[in-house]
Amino acid sequence: MNPSLKLALVVLIALEISFTQVWTVNVALIVISLVILGLNRIHIRTLVWLTVVPLFFASALIWSLMLRGNATPHFLIVLFTRMFVYVYLGATFTQTTVPLELTRSLEQNAKLPAKFAYGFLAAFNLFPKIKAEVATVHAAAMMRGQVLHFWSPQLYFKVILTAMNWSDQLASAMMSHGFVEWAPRTYAINVPLRTRDWVIFGASLLLVQIGLFIGLP
Amino acid sequence: MKQWHVRDIILVTILAIFMGVIFWVTGPVYTVLAAALTPFGLQPMANDMLLGLWCMAGPLAGFIIRIAGAATLGELLGSIVEMFLGGMWGASTLISGIVQGVGAELGFAFTGYKRYNWMTLVLSALTTTLVTFGWDFFRSGYNKYQFGFMMLLLLTRFVSVFIFGGVLTKLITNLLGRAHVLSPRIRA
Amino acid sequence: MATVNIEHLTYAPDHQDPVLKDLTATFLGGRFSLLTGPSGSGKTTLLRLIAGLTPLPTGATLTFNGQPLAAQSPQQRSQTVALLFQEPSTQFTMDTVTNELRFALENQQVSPAAMPGKIDAALAFVGITDLRDRNLMQLSGGEQQKVALAIIVAMDSDVILLDEPFASIDPATRQTLLDRLVKLCRDQGKTIILADHDLSGYAQWIDHLTVLHAGQVTTLSVAATQARLAAFTPERLQLTHVQLPTAQDKSCFEAKGFGLSQNDRTLILPEDLPLLTHKTTLITGPNGSGKSTFFRSLVRLGRYQGTITYQGRDIQRIRRRTYARHVSLMFQSATAQFLNVTVAEELALSQRYGNATYFTPDRIQAALAQLDLSGRDEQIIYSLSSGQQKKLQLLCMLMMAPEVLLLDEPFKGLDLNSIQAALTLLTTTQRDLDLTLIIISHQLGGLSPYVDYHLDLAHQQLTYQGVTA
Ligand SMILES: Nc1ncnc2c1ncn2[C@@H]1O[C@H](COP(=O)(O)OP(=O)(O)OP(=O)(O)O)[C@@H](O)[C@H]1O
Ligand SMILES: Nc1ncnc2c1ncn2[C@@H]1O[C@H](COP(=O)(O)OP(=O)(O)OP(=O)(O)O)[C@@H](O)[C@H]1O
Ligand SMILES: [Mg+2]
Ligand SMILES: [Mg+2]
């Protein structure tokens, strides 16, 4: 499915179930997501991770509401299942979409300005370096006799300076590779937006509406 | 009004990723805190206590980049990154990213993107608290809590956002100001 | 073939004193120009101005074959001039080599049908066809620079600017890149302007050296050029004093069954290795062979196989905070090490936690003078030139006086005088405080008298090298 439409679909559904209280639809969405994840051969370890963590938090939230609140059992079930819809729905999107595809699609189909699409992508690709940098900053400070905690201003100061430095370098490099913010570009790879995509999009939304409003529990 | 340039967009994103990584590093703190509070039914407290840290990208981006929408975009991009990295809240991170971003943004909007001082940060902390709380009111069932407990959560959240998004952000921007890295961007 | 002409260029950053003063210069079309000059003389500033990355100040003119850059459409600009940066890893937008090439060609509005041909040709020209589907972040610095060059080749830019492109590149890769550049000049008539401190390997290609000094560009005569280049003869790169360790030598680190891999790729095959105490050991090896990764394991910043002991104790069992004070790393990027805002604050921090009995205020002042850093107490660290930052970083780490100091490319981007000063400071401190120094360096010029042992990382193995006299 077209990545932009897929993103819109996932966000719309997530938004809708945040404000409605039909647990059967939640369960149906969980099942559908799991089927899609299964068809895409998700790693068992990822799936376990995606299940155990929300299980803990959802249970803790329910427990807390039972102890401190006055919610009905029906509402608790809705809340519990809702957490899993969020997680699995998000996973169906991320497991079937590569950031680059999404970027290309947003640029071509959703007419997102290229500066946003590629600026985001350039930073995203720096992720391994950013991760290593946080460890480096901690270690380097310790070698100077200082321990940085997550509440130390110096930690963020260093991180922001690094971010500024890298963003300057990346932006210069993009310019040097011929990128101009408002200039037209050609596309090496075209991302199609087919009728089929629209049909899936419309049908899925319609199904969710029907589920939500025919009076299921 | 200042325009978005590709350099600002990259900066916001890198900043958001950095904050995400720091949050991951502190992840155990959250889990331990949540686990310790759960038996007393206080798990949402853990959430509210650390929410300020989670929302710091917004006020920081707003303060550093000083373009309308910077705070929102900072949080939104952060949540997209987080979603791809398998953050535990999946699709809802996108929505809460926008919600948190808008919350922080309002503080800057109320000062017309003209004043960048202590007041702005406190205002932003206040709007962030209210907006995100309103969101959890529906999403996480906060509306079903007893009134007293709800107020306790609200207060905890405000204190957290005030400490991280207000005090800490102010200390950071002091350092940045002294290093003269904020001034060229204001002119640019 | 494009001739670059600059007239009346005066440039002052942020109301500071001007860095470039009424500079006038011509870089002839189809020529290879080598630009050099002391640290902080403004080479980076000049190249960025030529590339159009910094807006030209009023009153100055800059033309390519008589045409100003502003007269061209943005798409044409990248065909006129392109800059290859010093820092290899932060110059790409996309994830893989092919995608980055596509990105550049898309920007130039090349039709999709014409792209594969251009991409193939550019990769073949630089000799990296086998890298085409690799992830950019997983390439070594040398490979990344080759990719960056391939992109400029694909974009077919007339003027190619390179800002210390070899600063973190091993000698062999440097030679191949240099060959490619000269070929571009000769065969395709490209104009090349390259800034470098290390002048070795240029003698056969350069007749006239271009020097940036006191804000002005001067072109040296053939004789003066030869004299400058003579300081960088191949003999200076020989290590003549290194020995093999003997059984009597005491070690501080003992690695047992030590092996390294990164993303399923083996960097170092399991081996036993001692690192010797109170001595200076030099580590060399090609880009991406795993030298920095090795250092990161020594300071517990990465996974490895086997065990490493420090003075008989497994390093994983020592308290992190304590260990960091015994074994410290001078990181490849200077700014990683700084925590404060001004030079004075930074020195004060090192004095507070470091060896203050040895580093008395007098000694610090003397060291600052040696490194040409005096009188900068109140300067903001981040406004220092990259060379000055490197020197300050070195001094700060020496003042901490850890028992073992690991130095990852401490001489990167320093000019000849600065390297000499840094070496003198390093070795006197080492002698007086009995430190252990382990240095990674691609740049070997002048190191020979100071190095006791030489470890070479090649074919996934770290081996001690001895001079066979
Ligand atoms: N934003 C700035 N504020 C103050 N000074 C600056 C700024 N930018 C550059 N400078 C000064 O301009 C001078 C030239 O810097 P530049 O980076 O061009 O030198 P360089 O010749 O490339 O040095 P190196 O060999 O160390 O790379 C330096 O002395 C630096 O302190
Ligand atoms: N965080 C990372 N993620 C993926 N690959 C990495 C990472 N860090 C290093 N590598 C890869 O591991 C290999 C060894 O890297 P390392 O930096 O140790 O090489 P090096 O010998 O220090 O090279 P150089 O001389 O260029 O500094 C390289 O191929 C590099 O691309
Ligand atoms: Mg420079
Ligand atoms: Mg290295």
Side-chain angles (χ1 to χ4, degrees), chain C residues 13-14 16 19 38-45 164 197 383-387:
Chain C
D14 281 338
Q16 310 280 321
V19 178
S39 200
S41 55
K43 301 178 293 298
T44 301
T45 312
E164 298 189 44
H197 286 299
S383 76
L384 294 170
S385 94
S386 58

Side-chain angles (χ1 to χ4, degrees), chain A residues 64 70 82 87 168 181, chain B residues 6-7 88 139 144-145:
Chain A
S64 147
N70 50 7
R82 192 185 278 172
V87 174
D168 282 346
E181 288 180 11
Chain B
V6 75
R7 188 181 65 166
M88 54 189 152
R139 191 200 66 163
K144 295 292 188 311
Y145 280 117

Side-chain angles (χ1 to χ4, degrees), chain A residues 100 104 118 121-122 125-126 128-129 132-133 135-137 139-149 154 157-158 161 165-166 169-170 172-180 182-189, chain C residues 48 53 74-75 78 82-83 85 89-95 99-100 102-104 106-107 109-110 112 115 137 151 155 296 299 321 324-325 328-329 331 335-340 346 349-350 353 382 397 400:
Chain A
L100 178 59
R104 286 199 172 121
Y118 291 98
L121 198 62
N125 285 327
L126 226 49
K129 209 174 146 72
E133 186 68 14
T136 303
V137 170
M142 228 182 263
M143 289 163 189
R144 301 286 306 285
Q146 293 220 322
V147 184
L148 295 182
H149 302 282
Q154 264 144 335
F157 173 60
K158 296 287 322 170
L161 284 172
N165 200 0
W166 288 351
Q169 287 171 1
L170 278 179
S172 300
M174 283 172 80
M175 261 175 90
S176 199
H177 287 178
F179 183 79
V180 183
W182 39 266
R185 311 170 71 246
T186 51
Y187 307 128
I189 292 170
Chain C
R48 288 183 62 93
L53 295 175
Q75 288 83 2
S78 59
L83 178 64
F85 297 82
S89 66
T90 47
Q91 53 182 337
F92 304 111
T93 310
M94 310 296 266
D95 51 354
N99 282 334
E100 184 70 29
R102 283 180 182 151
F103 172 71
E106 285 175 346
N107 291 335
Q109 296 187 32
V110 172
M115 285 184 192
M137 283 309 278
I151 290 164
M155 292 197 311
R296 288 178 77 88
V299 295
R321 236 176 264 190
R325 304 298 303 279
S328 297
L329 170 58
F331 284 92
T335 47
Q337 220 108 32
F338 300 132
L339 285 166
N340 290 304
E346 210 56 55
L349 179 70
S350 274
Y353 293 107
Y382 302 94
M397 286 318 284
M400 294 308 295

